[in-house]
Amino acid sequence: MLKQFSYKQFGNLVFSERALAENYLSTIDEHIKILFIPKSAIIQVDFQKFAMETDALLFINPKVVLKPCQTVDGQLIHFNRDFYCVEIHDKEVACDGILYNNVFEVPFIALNESQSVKIQSILKEVRWEMENEDASTEEMLRTLLKLIILKSIRIWKQQHQLAANDQQGDVQFLRRFSKLVEQHFKTRHSVADYAELLFVTPKNLSKKIGLLSKSTPNDIIKDRIILESKRLLAHTNMTVKEIAHSLNYEDDAYFIRFFTKNTGVSPVSFRKQF
């Protein structure tokens, strides 16, 4: 079900192989998404499959390719930036860069039984609002959406042991680095580039990220470039040379070597898989 409030769009649907019409997800490709996934479900996010060990929430940026594999009773909320702009609204709730610009990991929020019950209760309210529209429906949906985000960011911080006040500096630094990589990975490829933007030395940047992630800053930047390369190879008709240039590689031969070294297959061989 999709609601339209002028240019603002908000939708809610059952996420399963049986319930989803073929290619429906491609029609909301530009929407920001929140997916509730029940325990034991299997889903594919871009090029990785995940089996859920608990109920979970997944926060999904536009262009991320999502696919139910073995999923029953999943719930997908989707909305456009006119309805709720993550970049603007998340500054109000202090969670920008963790759920939707987190380059460290696929942003799953594992839910224990109590947390899952609370989230499902909010999702039930969302469905009720969708089915019983009145003058306050738009604002109620936006409030419920913000409530899910606020609860999720609180859980994420607890799970990553970043809830204490004395660790807020680490959280802020993680956010800023994540956001910068998401904004600049097409044009800035080196650790020194991001160290400069963050006003620290490359060594200090690596040390700070090492407190929060098993991956090095270089790995994080490289992985984001590879992910974008895979998306363009699998889901567009751009040539390898065009993809290389779009990612600021003037020498497409260098890009081919870079891709092959980090994936084990050439760009052309990867594309043939799709």
Side-chain angles (χ1 to χ4, degrees), residues 70-87:
Q70 295 178 27
T71 309
V72 179
D73 296 330
Q75 293 289 324
L76 181 67
I77 288 175
H78 58 94
F79 50 95
N80 66 0
R81 285 187 171 90
D82 290 315
F83 184 85
Y84 187 98
C85 179
V86 171
E87 289 83 359

Side-chain angles (χ1 to χ4, degrees), residues 169-201:
D170 293 337
V171 176
Q172 294 290 343
F173 192 84
L174 178 148
R175 274 193 211 153
R176 289 164 62 202
F177 179 67
S178 286
K179 202 166 187 178
L180 287 169
V181 172
E182 190 61 31
Q183 289 172 343
H184 300 293
F185 71 89
K186 291 183 179 180
T187 55
R188 293 175 178 262
H189 298 168
S190 73
V191 174
D193 288 334
Y194 295 92
E196 181 181 357
L197 292 171
L198 289 163
F199 303 103
V200 296
T201 65

Side-chain angles (χ1 to χ4, degrees), residues 23-168:
N23 295 327
Y24 179 78
L25 289 175
S26 65
T27 68
I28 55 171
D29 189 44
E30 294 291 343
H31 281 200
I32 302 161
K33 305 172 187 73
I34 299 174
L35 175 62
F36 172 81
I37 323 157
K39 181 181 178 180
S40 300
I42 300 174
I43 67 167
Q44 183 170 315
V45 184
D46 279 320
F47 308 98
Q48 298 182 68
K49 282 189 178 180
F50 298 92
M52 298 298 105
E53 296 181 1
T54 67
D55 291 351
L57 286 170
L58 173 62
F59 295 81
I60 308 144
N61 274 311
K63 301 294 187 183
V64 174
V65 179
L66 195 60
K67 181 182 176 183
C69 299
Q70 295 178 27
T71 309
V72 179
D73 296 330
Q75 293 289 324
L76 181 67
I77 288 175
H78 58 94
F79 50 95
N80 66 0
R81 285 187 171 90
D82 290 315
F83 184 85
Y84 187 98
C85 179
V86 171
E87 289 83 359
I88 295 172
H89 287 86
D90 281 2
K91 289 178 182 175
E92 300 170 12
V93 297
C95 61
D96 62 308
I98 288 182
L99 298 181
Y100 284 106
N101 289 310
N102 190 340
V103 296
F104 295 89
E105 57 195 354
V106 177
F108 286 104
I109 305 289
L111 303 171
N112 62 32
E113 189 173 340
S114 172
Q115 293 163 343
S116 181
V117 167
K118 290 175 183 176
I119 292 296
Q120 289 185 70
S121 176
I122 300 171
L123 292 172
K124 188 175 180 180
E125 288 189 60
V126 168
R127 291 194 296 273
W128 191 92
E129 289 291 337
M130 295 288 283
E131 294 166 2
N132 299 274
E133 185 173 353
D134 64 16
S136 62
T137 293
E138 179 186 345
E139 197 51 44
M140 277 298 297
L141 288 171
R142 194 174 289 109
T143 299
L144 291 167
L145 174 61
K146 185 177 285 190
L147 187 57
I148 292 172
I149 290 174
L150 277 169
K151 284 185 175 295
S152 299
I153 204 68
R154 183 177 289 172
I155 294 168
W156 188 93
K157 285 182 179 180
Q158 290 170 347
Q159 290 175 349
H160 289 73
Q161 300 178 328
L162 294 170
N165 287 334
D166 60 355
Q167 293 172 309
Q168 287 305 303

Side-chain angles (χ1 to χ4, degrees), residues 184-189 225 228-229 232-233 238-256 258 267:
H184 300 293
F185 71 89
K186 291 183 179 180
T187 55
R188 293 175 178 262
H189 298 168
I225 296 167
E228 191 69 15
S229 305
L232 295 173
L233 287 164
M238 292 173 68
T239 66
V240 172
K241 186 172 185 176
E242 288 170 340
I243 291 171
H245 286 189
S246 75
L247 295 170
N248 206 35
Y249 290 97
E250 294 183 7
D251 183 355
D252 50 302
Y254 177 85
F255 169 74
I256 291 169
F258 168 78

